[in-house]
Amino acid sequence: MNKTELIDHIADTADISKAAAARALEAAISAVQNTLKKGGSVSLVGFGTFAVGKRAARVGRNPRTGASIKIKAAKVPKFRPGKALKDALN
């Protein structure tokens, strides 16, 4: 399912227009991004938790030349699924 299909599904399920569904989805995505940017986490009970993880700096290798390169430390988004989501799949 891509973003357009998700918007269509939200519009049909919630009985709202596609434009309103698109605005709602964009608002939800924006809220998650802004919270993660500030270092917080977003917990949706039954669905899962979005959080920020830290990846340490490390030395990598260029596959083309074999030369060592330094890879900077980075913050990465992480998602931990909730129990209800796991149970729905099994």
Side-chain angles (χ1 to χ4, degrees), residues 23-45:
R23 287 192 305 272
L25 181 60
E26 289 296 330
I29 292 171
S30 176
V32 171
Q33 285 177 344
N34 290 337
T35 302
L36 293 179
K37 226 182 254 189
K38 293 176 185 174
S41 66
V42 178
S43 295
L44 302 172
V45 176

Side-chain angles (χ1 to χ4, degrees), residues 2-87:
N2 62 28
K3 190 174 183 178
T4 304
E5 293 168 341
L6 181 58
I7 289 170
D8 291 342
H9 180 74
I10 291 170
D12 291 341
T13 304
D15 195 27
I16 58 176
S17 69
K18 288 183 184 180
R23 287 192 305 272
L25 181 60
E26 289 296 330
I29 292 171
S30 176
V32 171
Q33 285 177 344
N34 290 337
T35 302
L36 293 179
K37 226 182 254 189
K38 293 176 185 174
S41 66
V42 178
S43 295
L44 302 172
V45 176
F47 183 70
T49 302
F50 296 92
V52 178
K54 295 178 183 172
R55 184 178 295 153
R58 62 194 189 280
V59 176
R61 190 166 299 281
N62 183 333
R64 183 174 291 175
T65 63
S68 294
I69 57 172
K70 293 180 182 175
I71 301 172
K72 296 189 302 186
K75 294 179 185 175
V76 293
K78 294 189 175 190
F79 177 74
R80 193 170 51 244
K83 184 178 183 330
L85 180 59
K86 290 180 192 176
D87 291 345

